[in-house]
Amino acid sequence: MFTSETYIARRAKLCEKVGTGLMLFVGNVDIACNYKDNTYHFRQDSSFLYLFGLQIAGIAATLDAETGEAVLYMDELTMDDIIWMGPQESVSDQAAKVGVTKVLPKAKLADVISAAKDREIHFVPTYHAETTIRIANLLGKSISEVENGASLKLIKALISMREIKEKCEIDELRKHMAVGRQMHMAAMAMAHEGRTESEIMAMLDRISLMNGQPVSFPTICSVHGETLHNHSYKNTLKKGQLLLVDAGSESPLCYATDHTRTSPVGGKFTNQQREIYQIVLDANNAVAAACEPGLTYREMHLMACRIIAGGLKELGIMKGDMDDAVMEGAHALFMPHGIGHMLGLDVHDMESYNDTLVGYDDETTRSTQFGLSALRLGKRLREGFVVTDEPGIYFIPALIDKWRAEGLFKDFINYDALEQYRSFGGIRLEDDLLITRHGCEILGERIPIEIDDVENEVNKDTYHNK
Amino acid sequence: MFTSETYIARRAKLCEKVGTGLMLFVGNVDIACNYKDNTYHFRQDSSFLYLFGLQIAGIAATLDAETGEAVLYMDELTMDDIIWMGPQESVSDQAAKVGVTKVLPKAKLADVISAAKDREIHFVPTYHAETTIRIANLLGKSISEVENGASLKLIKALISMREIKEKCEIDELRKHMAVGRQMHMAAMAMAHEGRTESEIMAMLDRISLMNGQPVSFPTICSVHGETLHNHSYKNTLKKGQLLLVDAGSESPLCYATDHTRTSPVGGKFTNQQREIYQIVLDANNAVAAACEPGLTYREMHLMACRIIAGGLKELGIMKGDMDDAVMEGAHALFMPHGIGHMLGLDVHDMESYNDTLVGYDDETTRSTQFGLSALRLGKRLREGFVVTDEPGIYFIPALIDKWRAEGLFKDFINYDALEQYRSFGGIRLEDDLLITRHGCEILGERIPIEIDDVENEVNKDTYHNK
């Protein structure tokens, strides 16, 4: 359970790691959609959530690495706030929940920062220009100085803490996996001719929202699974197509789920689909079976790629030595992305800090090879990591044509055999794994993934008349 | 129908009105939720939509007021874009749809602006700091210079055009009202004991999304209707409560619907609720019956307030002369907001320009009196305006206690009689009106609003087992 002690302990540990200077955490503000007062749903900054827990817009905090003093900058409600937004708890009660006893009015933050002008001020990278401008004003720096001025020491300290999930975080994640599962079960039950991508996406959105929070990232729900981040929902499903759904929900405390399943529209895979599906499933299962502390996720990625390449060789799509093919990157025509990423408060956990700092370290460097370069997590696994396991096989006509025209990897790819897969689409299968002491655990009850089980779910057709 | 001619004609008219200088329109970018690549749904800027129609992130346009030349700044897709986002139309095909023949790469915008450095550069106010920074960099100005540097001439020209809805806009609005209606019918059918605000909100969200676009503003769905902008959905409905739902949908071309209905949880208003409801309904109907070109919306607001005050006097809640009470603002304890606002591409149409510039003019000035000051639209109605008609009566305990303690309006308010309404909540009823040549039209098929009709809808209980 998250208690005030959770936050007090995290802040104490962070102070110890950072050692000197004053840390400034500017929470997110409400972000305008098409004018200032018409806002997107409020999402607190993840660093702020991790250290100060409060899902309130426009507040800030300081944490003194030397004295350990934590201060929240919040204003009491006005009568206008009550009329428009309803009665709320007092700021001191809210601060007490996250173990903070000192609360100052927002306007005092500038004085506090100004008084610390001779000290080192640490802040994390920003992703809202509103926050960049605010920090620039507070510190008397230019926009580009703030854009380039985040504290590497603070970033590294936070990564080292956030990458190892605490018991309360694992409990929250594990519990919320049920909502992610419900979303995917609904999508399977709706994978029928005549339904639209948009109505299925809308149903998943509803399931997430009614369980407390919006989806954790824009849902991918497409009969064109070969487009990796497809956010268009214009198609009507046709029998025989594959529906790829990559979707997750945000938990009440803002932890993300992230799963992908691929279903046969109408409930029956074709033989061609079944063959490709089984290769992807084998790769997914092999990663879950192999993961354990001490192995690098780069190894897991390459193992999955070898399984995919081997499977495609058996089908006559690839040829030659598959170890060589994977080493040279020929398989990336079919799997141009990485096997997975960290998961936590962010669906690509901590990506706002810089994904290479999160996924690599002194021992592992990020590749520049097409495909492997997209792997967000390459470093050694540790107990308490939560990662996604998401192999896929895609047939991307534009990429196939380009490689063929350039004569790439002719020794490994049988371009003629590929022709019959041109309109295949794509398959991806994704689970969320918790790295345990001696292996890993698929978080939550596993969403149906075996061929027969997926066909069964689709055939239940539960949403038939809804 | 929207055609390339629609946009060509609008741009020509705008050039004529602005007369001199170069107009710069910076479209919206994808806005990060919790890190750069995890974005909120993309919403194009409304000025950009009005003049250039394209719902594409990160593009910009210039329009030369003197020569009439329109230029779009867009880049062709890269292979990476195709892999991640799928094949798209060429930029020239997209530009042609909105009647633009000249397209330059994005990087050329800086050169064009730089070459025009001796000319007047017009831009509209910004609401995304990303846009503010971009304009500041383009013009070599500071953030605060951009924040304060929008062109009043351009704003006034755009308001004078956008406030009169064209036939294609009215058709789009009228057609999409059916989705807004469907949302409210669903909410009524779900207004039953045991359901949660969040599941009803989620259903409305789904209905909007599956019809193409997200809700047009954060849904208000609350058994605490007295909190005017309640965005919390934590309550479970109890029989005898009032469920206030203020919600709308965005059409495929980004026009907004905006309706409010208030339903009795369980399907039967109490006598007390029925009495208050009827007063609000009378005010709503009176506005729709009276609206016509030439009258000011301030008059409509005051008429509705007099009806509300008169009704409350009959119930013994108010006393004395109701014309005086409304003139002095005593009724604002019960209706602290305005009767309505313009509606169009934005739910508060053009509010990013400045709501007072939109709703007032040389002839009408905005009041500073509590209640009337919240009226966004005070000026004379014209044929082609689309406005909301949304009277309400609220019992806000914190506000009642404050006024009573301060001894405010003791001659008009019977504070003792108010006690039995302390936990009443609030009622608001809102329709969207098109001002016609001689009167007005409620846009779309009217959502059930008479007491019996609303009770009937709730009693259908259509969503019983879903």
Side-chain angles (χ1 to χ4, degrees):
Chain A
M1 226 180 73
F2 286 74
T3 65
S4 57
E5 295 302 324
T6 309
Y7 300 100
I8 291 170
R10 288 174 178 175
R11 292 192 297 261
K13 194 166 174 187
L14 183 62
C15 287
E16 198 182 303
K17 283 180 181 268
V18 172
T20 56
L22 184 69
M23 295 176 262
L24 166 65
F25 296 97
V26 175
N28 282 342
V29 292
D30 274 316
I31 295 290
C33 176
N34 51 337
Y35 57 89
K36 186 174 159 292
D37 281 353
N38 199 23
T39 57
Y40 288 111
H41 82 264
F42 174 70
R43 173 54 155 80
Q44 184 57 287
D45 172 67
S46 296
S47 303
F48 200 92
L49 279 175
Y50 184 75
L51 295 166
F52 295 94
L54 300 177
Q55 297 186 36
I56 300 170
I59 64 176
T62 50
L63 181 58
D64 190 317
E66 293 155 45
T67 67
E69 186 185 55
V71 184
L72 276 163
Y73 302 83
M74 302 167 70
D75 292 335
E76 292 290 353
L77 286 197
T78 64
M79 180 55 63
D80 244 29
D81 294 331
I82 294 169
I83 293 175
W84 291 90
M85 287 157 354
Q88 316 276 342
E89 282 177 296
S90 74
V91 298
S92 56
D93 284 354
Q94 299 192 69
K97 286 188 181 167
V98 294
V100 175
T101 50
K102 186 165 178 184
V103 183
L104 293 176
K106 288 180 188 177
K108 286 282 173 206
L109 177 59
D111 301 341
V112 170
I113 295 299
S114 167
K117 69 175 186 300
D118 296 331
R119 300 180 65 188
E120 192 181 3
I121 309 277
H122 304 276
F123 57 89
V124 291
T126 60
Y127 47 89
H128 285 153
E130 284 75 9
T131 306
T132 312
I133 292 175
R134 186 150 174 225
I135 294 177
N137 290 339
L138 281 169
L139 302 185
K141 289 183 186 285
S142 71
I143 298 296
S144 69
E145 281 173 328
V146 172
E147 284 171 345
N148 300 301
S151 161
L152 191 60
K153 200 192 224 180
L154 175 58
I155 292 172
K156 288 190 169 177
L158 280 167
I159 291 172
S160 74
M161 291 172 64
R162 287 178 58 188
E163 69 183 4
I164 309 291
K165 269 59 183 177
E166 300 164 34
K167 183 172 180 308
C168 58
E169 295 181 288
I170 294 167
D171 290 346
E172 175 81 3
L173 277 164
R174 192 186 276 119
K175 185 172 151 201
H176 203 66
M177 292 290 153
V179 179
R181 187 172 196 273
Q182 196 188 337
M183 290 165 64
H184 282 276
M185 300 293 268
M188 288 181 190
M190 293 177 85
H192 287 277
E193 171 134 341
R195 291 209 172 270
T196 61
E197 293 166 346
S198 74
E199 73 175 308
I200 300 172
M201 173 276 288
M203 177 60 90
L204 306 194
D205 204 81
R206 175 191 172 208
I207 293 169
S208 184
L209 265 184
M210 68 189 280
N211 288 287
Q213 298 264 19
V215 291
S216 46
F217 57 94
T219 294
I220 297 166
C221 174
S222 177
V223 293
H224 286 291
E226 77 279 10
T227 298
L228 300 182
H229 276 185
N230 201 338
H231 296 145
S232 145
Y233 313 101
K234 296 195 171 142
N235 298 300
T236 299
L237 278 55
K238 294 198 195 95
K239 208 161 178 165
Q241 287 179 323
L242 291 169
L243 177 69
L244 186 151
V245 176
D246 187 345
S249 175
E250 197 164 275
S251 80
L253 296 177
C254 299
Y255 284 79
T257 77
D258 182 8
H259 295 94
T260 309
R261 287 294 184 269
T262 308
S263 306
V265 176
K268 190 79 191 159
F269 286 105
T270 65
N271 280 341
Q272 195 189 50
Q273 290 168 347
R274 184 180 290 258
E275 286 167 349
I276 299 290
Y277 189 101
Q278 191 61 50
I279 300 170
V280 180
L281 179 54
D282 289 346
N284 171 297
N285 282 330
V287 170
C291 272
E292 62 178 34
L295 296 178
T296 69
Y297 217 46
R298 188 176 192 277
E299 293 170 73
M300 296 294 96
H301 172 85
L302 293 172
M303 179 187 70
C305 293
R306 283 191 299 268
I307 292 169
I308 285 170
L312 293 174
K313 183 179 174 184
E314 276 186 43
L315 295 176
I317 297 171
M318 293 191 75
K319 57 188 178 181
D321 184 291
M322 288 302 101
D323 288 352
D324 291 349
V326 169
M327 210 165 61
E328 295 183 29
H331 67 286
L333 178 59
F334 308 105
M335 177 162 156
H337 63 70
I339 189 68
H341 50 79
M342 294 224 191
L343 183 76
L345 281 166
D346 309 303
V347 66
H348 291 168
D349 206 24
M350 302 177 274
E351 186 158 307
S352 65
Y353 298 158
N354 175 320
D355 58 352
T356 303
L357 283 176
V358 171
Y360 294 83
D361 54 18
D362 297 343
E363 187 196 10
T364 46
T365 34
R366 193 159 182 165
S367 168
T368 55
Q369 187 188 72
F370 178 76
L372 192 53
S373 65
L375 177 65
R376 285 187 162 81
L377 175 62
K379 69 186 181 186
R380 233 170 258 290
L381 298 172
R382 294 177 59 197
E383 183 183 353
F385 277 21
V386 174
V387 303
T388 65
D389 167 16
E390 48 177 316
I393 295 179
Y394 315 90
F395 296 91
I396 308 169
L399 192 61
I400 293 170
D401 292 344
K402 179 167 181 273
W403 280 32
R404 184 169 202 169
E406 291 172 2
L408 287 184
F409 298 116
K410 284 183 293 188
D411 295 341
F412 294 125
I413 296 167
N414 185 345
Y415 285 103
D416 288 337
L418 254 180
E419 282 307 307
Q420 58 182 307
Y421 290 86
R422 245 190 119 71
S423 61
F424 182 95
I427 290 176
R428 180 165 62 252
L429 298 171
E430 177 182 22
D431 291 316
D432 302 332
L433 308 180
L434 166 67
I435 308 302
T436 55
R437 185 165 305 181
H438 301 295
C440 77
E441 170 198 328
I442 294 177
L443 278 172
E445 186 184 351
R446 198 176 193 191
I447 301 165
I449 195 167
E450 294 291 333
I451 286 176
D452 290 350
D453 296 340
V454 171
E455 288 185 348
N456 276 344
E457 280 309 319
V458 177
N459 284 315
K460 283 184 186 166
D461 200 6
T462 323
Y463 286 85
H464 190 56
N465 281 313
K466 290 180 197 172
Chain B
M1 225 180 73
F2 286 74
T3 65
S4 58
E5 295 303 323
T6 309
Y7 300 100
I8 290 170
R10 287 173 179 176
R11 291 192 298 261
K13 193 167 174 187
L14 183 63
C15 287
E16 197 182 302
K17 283 179 180 268
V18 172
T20 56
L22 184 69
M23 294 175 264
L24 166 65
F25 297 97
V26 174
N28 282 343
V29 292
D30 274 315
I31 295 289
C33 177
N34 51 336
Y35 56 90
K36 186 173 160 292
D37 282 352
N38 198 25
T39 58
Y40 288 111
H41 82 266
F42 174 70
R43 172 54 156 81
Q44 184 56 286
D45 172 67
S46 296
S47 302
F48 199 94
L49 279 175
Y50 184 76
L51 296 166
F52 295 94
L54 301 177
Q55 297 185 37
I56 301 169
I59 65 176
T62 51
L63 181 58
D64 191 317
E66 293 156 44
T67 67
E69 186 185 54
V71 184
L72 276 164
Y73 301 84
M74 301 166 69
D75 293 335
E76 292 290 355
L77 287 196
T78 64
M79 181 54 64
D80 244 28
D81 293 331
I82 294 171
I83 294 175
W84 291 90
M85 286 156 354
Q88 316 277 342
E89 281 177 297
S90 75
V91 297
S92 56
D93 285 354
Q94 300 192 67
K97 286 188 182 168
V98 294
V100 175
T101 51
K102 186 166 178 184
V103 182
L104 294 176
K106 289 180 188 178
K108 286 281 173 206
L109 178 58
D111 300 341
V112 170
I113 295 298
S114 166
K117 69 175 187 299
D118 296 330
R119 301 180 65 188
E120 191 180 4
I121 309 277
H122 304 276
F123 57 89
V124 291
T126 60
Y127 47 89
H128 284 155
E130 285 75 9
T131 306
T132 312
I133 291 175
R134 185 148 174 225
I135 295 177
N137 289 339
L138 281 169
L139 302 185
K141 288 182 186 286
S142 72
I143 298 295
S144 69
E145 281 172 330
V146 173
E147 285 171 345
N148 301 301
S151 161
L152 191 59
K153 200 192 226 180
L154 175 58
I155 291 171
K156 287 189 168 178
L158 281 167
I159 291 172
S160 74
M161 293 172 62
R162 286 178 58 187
E163 69 183 4
I164 309 291
K165 267 61 185 178
E166 301 164 34
K167 184 173 179 309
C168 59
E169 296 181 287
I170 294 167
D171 290 347
E172 173 81 4
L173 277 163
R174 193 186 276 119
K175 185 172 150 203
H176 203 66
M177 292 290 154
V179 178
R181 188 172 195 274
Q182 196 187 336
M183 289 165 66
H184 282 276
M185 300 292 267
M188 289 181 189
M190 293 176 83
H192 286 277
E193 170 134 341
R195 290 208 173 272
T196 60
E197 293 166 347
S198 74
E199 74 174 308
I200 300 172
M201 173 276 287
M203 176 62 90
L204 307 193
D205 203 82
R206 175 192 171 206
I207 292 170
S208 185
L209 266 183
M210 68 189 279
N211 288 286
Q213 297 264 19
V215 291
S216 46
F217 57 94
T219 295
I220 297 168
C221 174
S222 178
V223 293
H224 286 291
E226 77 278 10
T227 298
L228 300 182
H229 276 185
N230 201 338
H231 296 146
S232 145
Y233 313 101
K234 295 195 173 154
N235 296 301
T236 299
L237 278 55
K238 294 197 195 95
K239 207 161 179 166
Q241 287 179 324
L242 291 169
L243 178 70
L244 187 151
V245 176
D246 187 346
S249 176
E250 197 163 275
S251 80
L253 297 177
C254 299
Y255 284 79
T257 76
D258 182 9
H259 295 95
T260 309
R261 288 295 183 268
T262 308
S263 306
V265 176
K268 191 78 190 159
F269 287 105
T270 65
N271 281 340
Q272 194 189 50
Q273 290 168 347
R274 184 180 291 257
E275 286 167 350
I276 299 290
Y277 189 102
Q278 192 61 50
I279 301 170
V280 179
L281 179 55
D282 290 346
N284 172 297
N285 282 330
V287 171
C291 271
E292 62 178 35
L295 296 178
T296 68
Y297 218 45
R298 189 176 191 276
E299 292 171 72
M300 296 295 97
H301 172 85
L302 293 172
M303 180 187 71
C305 292
R306 283 191 299 269
I307 291 169
I308 285 169
L312 293 173
K313 183 180 173 182
E314 275 187 44
L315 295 176
I317 298 171
M318 294 190 75
K319 58 187 179 182
D321 183 289
M322 288 302 101
D323 288 352
D324 291 349
V326 168
M327 211 165 62
E328 295 184 30
H331 67 286
L333 177 60
F334 309 104
M335 176 160 157
H337 63 71
I339 189 67
H341 50 78
M342 294 225 192
L343 183 75
L345 281 166
D346 309 303
V347 67
H348 293 167
D349 205 25
M350 303 177 274
E351 188 160 305
S352 65
Y353 298 158
N354 174 321
D355 58 351
T356 303
L357 284 174
V358 171
Y360 294 84
D361 55 17
D362 298 343
E363 188 196 9
T364 47
T365 35
R366 192 160 184 165
S367 169
T368 55
Q369 186 187 73
F370 178 76
L372 192 52
S373 64
L375 177 65
R376 286 188 161 81
L377 174 63
K379 70 186 180 186
R380 235 170 258 289
L381 298 172
R382 294 177 60 198
E383 184 183 351
F385 277 21
V386 174
V387 302
T388 64
D389 167 16
E390 49 178 315
I393 296 180
Y394 315 90
F395 297 89
I396 308 169
L399 192 60
I400 294 169
D401 292 345
K402 179 167 180 273
W403 281 32
R404 186 169 201 169
E406 291 172 2
L408 286 185
F409 298 117
K410 283 183 295 187
D411 295 342
F412 295 123
I413 295 166
N414 185 344
Y415 285 104
D416 288 337
L418 254 180
E419 282 306 309
Q420 57 181 306
Y421 290 87
R422 248 192 116 72
S423 61
F424 182 95
I427 290 176
R428 181 166 61 252
L429 298 171
E430 177 181 23
D431 290 318
D432 301 332
L433 308 180
L434 166 67
I435 308 302
T436 56
R437 185 165 305 181
H438 302 295
C440 77
E441 170 198 329
I442 294 177
L443 279 172
E445 186 183 352
R446 198 177 194 192
I447 301 165
I449 195 167
E450 295 290 334
I451 287 175
D452 291 350
D453 296 340
V454 170
E455 288 185 346
N456 277 343
E457 281 309 319
V458 176
N459 284 315
K460 283 184 186 164
D461 200 5
T462 323
Y463 286 85
H464 190 57
N465 281 312
K466 290 180 196 171

